[in-house]
Amino acid sequence: AKARGRNNFQFFDPVMTEAGEQRLMLENDLRKALLRDEFILYYQPRIDLSTGSVTSVEALIRWQHPQRGLLAPNAFIHLAEEIGLIGEIGHWVLNTACRQLRDWRSEGLTDLRMAVNVSARQLHDSAFHCLVEKTLLDAMLPAACLELELTESCVMDNPEKAIVVLNTISRLGVRIAIDDFGTGYSSLAYLKRLPVTCLKIDRAFVQGIPEDAEDVAIAETILSMAKHLGLVVVAEGIETEAQCDFLARRHCKEGQGYWFSRPLPAGDLINFINSTVPT
Ligand code: C2E
Ligand code: CA
Ligand code: CA
Ligand code: CA
C-alpha cells in the first residue's frame, strides 16, 4: 500500500498535472465537437495504376479545432476510442461520406466508390451492420460502392466476432479491405476465413521501393499471394514516380499517395478528378 501511495503522489507532479489538464481539455472539446459540427472529411483519390483514372476516394477525418486549428486523426482518434466517442464519430463519418458520394454520383461521377476507415470498437457494436445498411439506404447508394477499411489489428482483436460481423456486412454487398497490410499480426489463416476483397500494402513497405530489397520482396510477396487469393491490391503512400512505375509493372491494381494527390477537401477533389479526365 505504501508503494501505491508513492505512485499516487507522482500524479501530483506538476508536469503530470499539466499533461493531464491538456488531455482533459481536449477530451471536453472532443465531446462537444460533433454538436458544434467541427469535423470535416478530406478525400484522397485512389488511382487505377493501369489506366490512371480515379476509381474511388478514401474519407479521412479532420477536426477543425476552434483554438488549435486543423487537427489530423492521430491527434484525437485514439482519445475518441478511449472515451467511447468513436461510435458516434464513426457514424458521422459513414453518413457524411455516403451523402457526399451520392452527390458526386448524381453530378456525373457515376462509377465513383467510397472507402471509409472503421475502428475496432465499431465492430464490437452488434448493430453495426444495421447502421451500415441504413446509411446506404438513406443515401440511396448501392452497397457495392462502399468499402470499409479495417486494420489487421482491428480484426485480430476478436477474430471470431469480426468474421461474423464482416460476413453480415459483406452479404449486403459492401466490400472489405484490410488496411496497413503487413504491419499487424498477419494471420493468414484468418485472412482465408474473412470476406475480404482487398489488401492495402502499408506505406512503410512502399517507402523503400525500388531501392530496398526487403521492401521489394515484401511487396512482391503480398502481390503474388493476393493474386492467388483473388484479392485486389492497393499500394498506399506512393510518393514517387519510381514507386508508381515499379508497382504498375508488377500489376498492382491501384495506388494512393502524394504522388497522385494529397487528401483534399470535397470541392478540390472534383477539380482533381476533372483534371485527370483525358480531353
Ligand atoms: P490510414 O487509413 O492508413 O490512412 C492513410 C494516411 O496516410 C492518411 O493520414 C493519409 O493522409 C496519409 N497519406 C496518404 N498518402 C500519403 C503519402 O504519399 N505519404 C505520406 N507520408 N502519407 C500519406 P491521415 O489522414 O492523417 O490519417 C491517419 C490515420 O487515421 C488513418 O491511417 C486511419 O487509420 C485514421 N483515420 C482517418 N480517418 C479516420 C476515420 O474516419 N475513422 C477512423 N476510425 N480512423 C480514421
Ligand atoms: Ca485507411
Ligand atoms: Ca493505411
Ligand atoms: Ca497507416
Side-chain angles (χ1 to χ4, degrees):
K2 264 237 166 97
R4 228 189 185 192
R6 232 175 268 139
N7 280 341
N8 280 347
F9 186 69
Q10 279 239 312
F11 183 75
F12 297 102
D13 178 298
V15 180
M16 284 288 289
T17 307
E18 201 182 309
E21 261 170 33
Q22 283 289 331
R23 193 199 127 111
L24 204 60
M25 273 168 59
L26 197 67
E27 189 178 319
N28 284 333
D29 292 346
L30 196 53
R31 291 187 191 280
K32 295 177 203 139
L34 264 179
L35 271 174
R36 294 182 175 171
D37 206 18
E38 289 168 354
F39 293 118
I40 335 170
L41 291 184
Y42 274 43
Y43 299 93
Q44 188 178 37
R46 219 199 245 182
I47 311 291
D48 183 317
L49 293 181
S50 61
T51 65
S53 62
V54 176
T55 60
S56 54
V57 296
E58 177 179 0
L60 294 158
I61 195 171
R62 304 286 179 261
W63 178 13
Q64 185 65 63
H65 189 282
Q67 283 87 40
R68 300 177 196 215
L70 196 65
L71 299 181
N74 292 342
F76 63 91
I77 285 290
H78 186 66
L79 181 61
E81 285 170 344
E82 266 180 31
I83 64 176
L85 281 181
I86 198 65
E88 274 178 80
I89 296 176
H91 186 189
W92 179 87
V93 170
L94 188 64
N95 204 31
T96 308
C98 284
R99 282 159 184 269
Q100 181 61 69
L101 183 65
R102 178 201 51 203
D103 290 351
W104 279 332
R105 285 167 71 101
S106 68
E107 285 161 17
L109 301 172
T110 47
D111 297 326
L112 194 67
R113 291 182 282 119
M114 178 69 69
V116 171
N117 293 287
V118 172
S119 119
R121 296 287 168 99
Q122 291 174 269
L123 280 194
H124 292 167
D125 181 357
S126 44
F128 183 61
H129 67 278
C130 300
L131 192 86
V132 173
E133 188 172 22
K134 184 177 182 306
T135 308
L136 286 166
L137 272 172
D138 287 349
M140 295 177 292
L141 285 174
C145 66
L146 178 65
E147 183 165 278
L148 300 181
E149 296 192 0
L150 302 114
T151 61
E152 281 174 90
S153 46
C154 165
V155 174
M156 292 312 152
D157 201 31
N158 186 346
E160 294 304 327
K161 171 106 195 220
I163 289 170
V164 173
V165 176
L166 294 181
N167 272 326
T168 316
I169 290 174
S170 146
R171 272 196 294 272
L172 297 173
V174 172
R175 299 170 197 226
I176 313 283
I178 300 292
D179 208 345
D180 302 350
F181 189 74
T183 60
Y185 312 89
S186 104
S187 172
L188 299 178
Y190 278 118
L191 190 61
K192 202 181 109 182
R193 294 179 53 202
L194 287 166
V196 166
T197 44
C198 168
L199 301 179
K200 296 190 79 174
I201 305 183
D202 193 73
R203 182 168 86 225
F205 307 120
V206 173
Q207 232 161 34
I209 292 172
E211 299 86 6
D212 186 294
E214 283 167 336
D215 284 351
V216 165
I218 290 168
E220 284 179 336
T221 304
I222 295 175
L223 282 164
S224 123
M225 182 188 70
K227 190 179 171 196
H228 291 297
L229 294 174
L231 303 173
V232 168
V233 177
V234 181
E236 60 176 29
I238 298 181
E239 292 183 354
T240 68
E241 186 169 24
Q243 290 165 349
C244 178
D245 287 349
F246 177 96
L247 289 157
R249 268 201 310 275
R250 276 156 187 83
H251 307 291
C252 178
K253 179 111 193 330
E254 295 182 25
Q256 207 180 331
Y258 296 169
W259 172 251
F260 306 107
S261 168
R262 289 184 176 257
L264 300 169
D268 296 347
L269 186 96
I270 283 292
N271 295 336
F272 175 82
I273 291 181
N274 288 336
S275 74
T276 62
V277 170
T279 46

mmCIF file of all heavy atoms in Angstrom, residues 151 179-180 183 202-203 236, ligand 4:
data_model
loop_
_atom_site.group_PDB
_atom_site.id
_atom_site.type_symbol
_atom_site.label_atom_id
_atom_site.label_comp_id
_atom_site.label_asym_id
_atom_site.label_seq_id
_atom_site.Cartn_x
_atom_site.Cartn_y
_atom_site.Cartn_z
ATOM 1 N N THR A 151 -8.023 -2.333 -40.100
ATOM 2 C CA THR A 151 -6.637 -2.759 -39.942
ATOM 3 C C THR A 151 -6.611 -4.209 -39.465
ATOM 4 O O THR A 151 -7.588 -4.712 -38.912
ATOM 5 C CB THR A 151 -5.883 -1.893 -38.914
ATOM 6 O OG1 THR A 151 -6.518 -2.025 -37.656
ATOM 7 C CG2 THR A 151 -5.868 -0.441 -39.336
ATOM 8 N N ASP A 179 -6.517 -2.811 -44.129
ATOM 9 C CA ASP A 179 -5.674 -1.614 -44.169
ATOM 10 C C ASP A 179 -4.314 -1.929 -43.543
ATOM 11 O O ASP A 179 -4.211 -2.826 -42.716
ATOM 12 C CB ASP A 179 -6.374 -0.518 -43.343
ATOM 13 C CG ASP A 179 -6.028 0.871 -43.822
ATOM 14 O OD1 ASP A 179 -5.060 1.038 -44.575
ATOM 15 O OD2 ASP A 179 -6.744 1.806 -43.410
ATOM 16 N N ASP A 180 -3.295 -1.164 -43.917
ATOM 17 C CA ASP A 180 -1.953 -1.301 -43.320
ATOM 18 C C ASP A 180 -1.480 -2.751 -43.377
ATOM 19 O O ASP A 180 -0.857 -3.250 -42.434
ATOM 20 C CB ASP A 180 -1.945 -0.850 -41.846
ATOM 21 C CG ASP A 180 -2.395 0.591 -41.674
ATOM 22 O OD1 ASP A 180 -2.524 1.294 -42.693
ATOM 23 O OD2 ASP A 180 -2.608 1.010 -40.528
ATOM 24 N N THR A 183 1.615 -5.017 -41.409
ATOM 25 C CA THR A 183 2.143 -4.428 -40.174
ATOM 26 C C THR A 183 1.603 -5.103 -38.918
ATOM 27 O O THR A 183 2.196 -4.980 -37.862
ATOM 28 C CB THR A 183 1.811 -2.926 -40.072
ATOM 29 O OG1 THR A 183 0.397 -2.772 -40.088
ATOM 30 C CG2 THR A 183 2.420 -2.151 -41.220
ATOM 31 N N ASP A 202 0.874 -1.494 -46.683
ATOM 32 C CA ASP A 202 1.196 -0.352 -45.838
ATOM 33 C C ASP A 202 2.296 0.509 -46.450
ATOM 34 O O ASP A 202 3.220 0.015 -47.082
ATOM 35 C CB ASP A 202 1.632 -0.824 -44.448
ATOM 36 C CG ASP A 202 1.676 0.334 -43.468
ATOM 37 O OD1 ASP A 202 0.595 0.801 -43.077
ATOM 38 O OD2 ASP A 202 2.784 0.790 -43.127
ATOM 39 N N ARG A 203 2.164 1.794 -46.201
ATOM 40 C CA ARG A 203 3.113 2.803 -46.679
ATOM 41 C C ARG A 203 4.556 2.472 -46.290
ATOM 42 O O ARG A 203 5.485 2.764 -47.023
ATOM 43 C CB ARG A 203 2.707 4.139 -46.063
ATOM 44 C CG ARG A 203 3.524 5.297 -46.469
ATOM 45 C CD ARG A 203 2.851 6.566 -46.034
ATOM 46 N NE ARG A 203 3.174 6.938 -44.670
ATOM 47 C CZ ARG A 203 2.284 7.341 -43.773
ATOM 48 N NH1 ARG A 203 1.010 7.394 -44.088
ATOM 49 N NH2 ARG A 203 2.657 7.677 -42.563
ATOM 50 N N GLU A 236 -0.467 1.936 -50.704
ATOM 51 C CA GLU A 236 -0.698 3.265 -50.128
ATOM 52 C C GLU A 236 0.617 3.996 -49.915
ATOM 53 O O GLU A 236 1.689 3.393 -49.841
ATOM 54 C CB GLU A 236 -1.521 3.185 -48.843
ATOM 55 C CG GLU A 236 -0.934 2.373 -47.728
ATOM 56 C CD GLU A 236 -1.782 2.440 -46.455
ATOM 57 O OE1 GLU A 236 -3.006 2.622 -46.524
ATOM 58 O OE2 GLU A 236 -1.193 2.305 -45.375
HETATM 59 CA CA CA B 4 -1.485 3.675 -41.768
#
